[in-house]
Amino acid sequence: MVVANDLSSKILPRVLIVSRRTLRKNKYVDFVGEYHLDLIVSSGAVPVIVPRVNGIHSMLQSFEPIHGVLLCEGEDVDPSLYADDELSGLSPEDMEEIKKAHAEDMTIDREKDSIELTLARLCLERNIPFLGICRGSQILNVAAGGTLYQDIDKELGTTMTTTNHIDYDNYDGHRHEARIVEETPLHKLFEEMEIMVNSYHHQGVKRLAQRFVPMAYAPDGLIEGFYDPNRYDPKEGQFLMGLQFHPERMRLPGSDEFDYPGCALVYQEFVKAVIAFQKKQVNATQVEMKRKTTTLVKSFSQAEFLEANTVLSKQQENRLKQMGATVRNSCVYMKRMKMKEEQERAMDKLSAERLSDMLSFHHMMARLCSNAIKRKLLEPEHTDRTIESSFFLNY
C-alpha cells in the first residue's frame, strides 16, 4: 500500500473508470463506488472518472494517456451486442418475468455500453492493463467475442436452492461458494481452493471468449472469474482479468476489514501492472525521441557530407552551415529550457513568505544599483574622462 505523502512529487499512472448514472431529485447523477476509488488510490494510481454522458464515446482519445482501465457495476449489457446463432430460448413470458424480478438492472444503457466496449477493445488492442468487476467482466468477454446468459435462472436452470446469484434483501451480506482453479492468478492471490463470494447479478458469462481461461466457478457451473494467460504478468505491465463477484465489497459485517487478504491484492496487482505499463510507455517515448533526435542530427551533419567527398556549391555549403547551426542552437535551447524548469521547480518548493522576502531583497538591490549608477555618472572624474575622450577624437 502506498502512503499519500509519498505520491506528491510523482506523476502517477492514470486508471480510467466509467461512471454509472442514477436518478436523484428528478435529475441524473453520475457516480462511481468509493471502494474502487479508495483501492486504486491506496495502491498508487490516480482514478480518472469518465462520465457517462451522450457523445463521450467519441471523445475518449482526450483521456490519453491511459495506463489502465477498471470497469465495474452497471445495468445489463445490451443483448444485441453479443447475440449470435446461440438462441437464449427465452419466451416473451420469460422476459416479462425477468423484467419484473430485475426491473432496475434490465434498463439498457447504450451510451455506457458504447463507452465501455470502446475502452475494453482499446485495452485488447494496445495491451493496456484491464480489470473488469461484475458487469465489467461481462463487457470484457463480449469485447473479446464471448456471449452472456440474459438470465442465469432461466437459461442455466439455477434456482435459489442451488446457487442464488442475487439477494435484494441481503445485498452486502449474501455469499455463495466459488471453487478456484489451481495455479491461476486467483489461486495465488487468495491462497484458497474455495471462497465465499458476494453476488449481485442475474446475467453472466455463457460462452467464454477463446483467449480467456476460467479461474473460478460457482456450484451451478457459472464462471466467476477468468483471465488471459498470455496477458498476465503485473511486473511487466500485463493484466487482463474479469471477476463476476465484487472483491472490494467482501468485508466483515460492520467493518472495513476484508473477508480475505486476496480481495485487496486483486487491486494492488492490477495497479502494479498499471505502474509498470506507464514506465514502459515513458521509456519507449524517450527512446523514440532520442532516435528521432539522432536521425535529425545525422541528416543535418556537415561531416557526413564532407566524409562522402561530396562537392558542394557555395549556396549548398552555406545552407548546410545554417542547418548545423540550427541543430546546435536547438540543443542549447533545450538545455536552457531544462535549466529553467529546474529553477522553477526549486522556486515552487519555497514558501510564499520566503518568496516574498526574496522579491523584496531584489527590489532593494535594484534601487541601490540604480542610485550607484546615477552617482557614477555624475562624478567629476567621469565627466573629465568624457571631455578628454571627446578632445582626443576631435584631435
Side-chain angles (χ1 to χ4, degrees), residues 184 233 250 313:
T184 61
D233 190 347
M250 288 168 56
S313 68

Side-chain angles (χ1 to χ4, degrees), residues 284-294 334:
T285 302
Q286 290 175 344
V287 169
E288 181 63 15
M289 288 179 65
K290 186 175 180 181
R291 185 190 67 79
K292 288 182 177 180
T293 303
T294 303
M334 290 300 292

Side-chain angles (χ1 to χ4, degrees), residues 9-263:
S9 61
K10 299 179 182 178
I11 298 176
L12 300 178
R14 297 151 52 90
V15 175
L16 266 58
I17 309 176
V18 181
S19 68
R20 184 180 183 180
R21 71 174 183 174
T22 186
L23 200 61
R24 184 173 182 271
K25 296 181 179 179
N26 299 319
K27 293 181 180 179
Y28 282 115
V29 176
D30 281 30
F31 71 96
V32 172
E34 197 167 291
Y35 280 151
H36 297 294
L37 304 178
D38 283 342
L39 285 163
I40 292 298
V41 170
S42 64
S43 298
V46 173
V48 178
I49 298 176
V50 180
R52 181 257 160 258
V53 292
N54 293 332
I56 203 74
H57 67 273
S58 62
M59 301 165 60
L60 292 176
Q61 67 275 11
S62 299
F63 288 88
E64 298 278 4
I66 302 170
H67 304 121
V69 172
L70 167 65
L71 298 185
C72 34
E73 62 269 356
E75 294 78 8
D76 290 356
V77 180
D78 186 354
S80 67
L81 296 171
Y82 58 84
D84 54 10
D85 295 335
E86 301 176 26
L87 299 177
S88 65
L90 297 174
S91 66
E93 291 76 19
D94 289 333
M95 293 303 296
E96 282 301 316
E97 282 187 42
I98 297 168
K99 286 179 181 178
K100 288 179 181 178
H102 310 287
E104 292 184 5
D105 293 328
M106 288 286 287
T107 304
I108 301 300
D109 188 341
R110 289 184 173 82
E111 186 64 29
K112 185 174 173 68
D113 287 346
S114 179
I115 295 168
E116 294 190 339
L117 279 171
T118 300
L119 285 174
R121 286 167 180 152
L122 185 68
C123 291
L124 294 172
E125 292 169 6
R126 288 168 45 180
N127 295 332
I128 299 172
F130 180 101
L131 174 60
I133 302 294
C134 195
R135 169 191 157 96
S137 68
Q138 297 171 10
I139 284 285
L140 178 60
N141 187 49
V142 170
T147 61
L148 305 176
Y149 289 111
Q150 290 188 50
D151 186 77
I152 299 167
D153 291 353
K154 293 292 183 183
E155 294 186 70
L156 194 58
T158 299
T159 64
M160 291 181 67
T161 57
T162 56
T163 306
N164 185 14
H165 288 280
I166 192 163
D167 185 347
Y168 290 108
D169 296 325
N170 188 18
Y171 197 73
D172 274 326
H174 175 63
R175 300 283 190 274
H176 70 69
E177 182 186 317
R179 298 188 300 274
I180 296 179
V181 179
E182 197 172 0
E183 298 302 319
T184 61
L186 208 60
H187 180 228
K188 293 174 182 176
L189 292 171
F190 281 82
E191 298 182 341
E192 304 270 358
M193 292 305 297
E194 291 183 0
I195 59 174
M196 298 300 292
V197 300
N198 53 12
S199 194
Y200 315 124
H201 62 101
H202 77 100
Q203 294 191 319
V205 171
K206 183 176 184 180
R207 176 169 53 79
L208 188 63
Q210 189 173 359
R211 67 186 296 164
F212 298 128
V213 173
M215 293 193 297
Y217 292 93
D220 58 8
L222 187 75
I223 294 173
E224 289 285 335
F226 59 87
Y227 80 114
D228 184 342
N230 297 316
R231 282 274 309 280
Y232 187 85
D233 190 347
K235 291 181 180 179
E236 294 298 319
Q238 298 185 36
F239 194 103
L240 193 56
M241 179 185 292
L243 300 177
Q244 183 59 72
F245 58 94
H246 284 260
E248 82 284 357
R249 298 185 72 127
M250 288 168 56
R251 309 194 183 213
L252 300 177
S255 168
D256 279 337
E257 185 180 349
F258 288 104
D259 291 357
Y260 307 92
C263 295

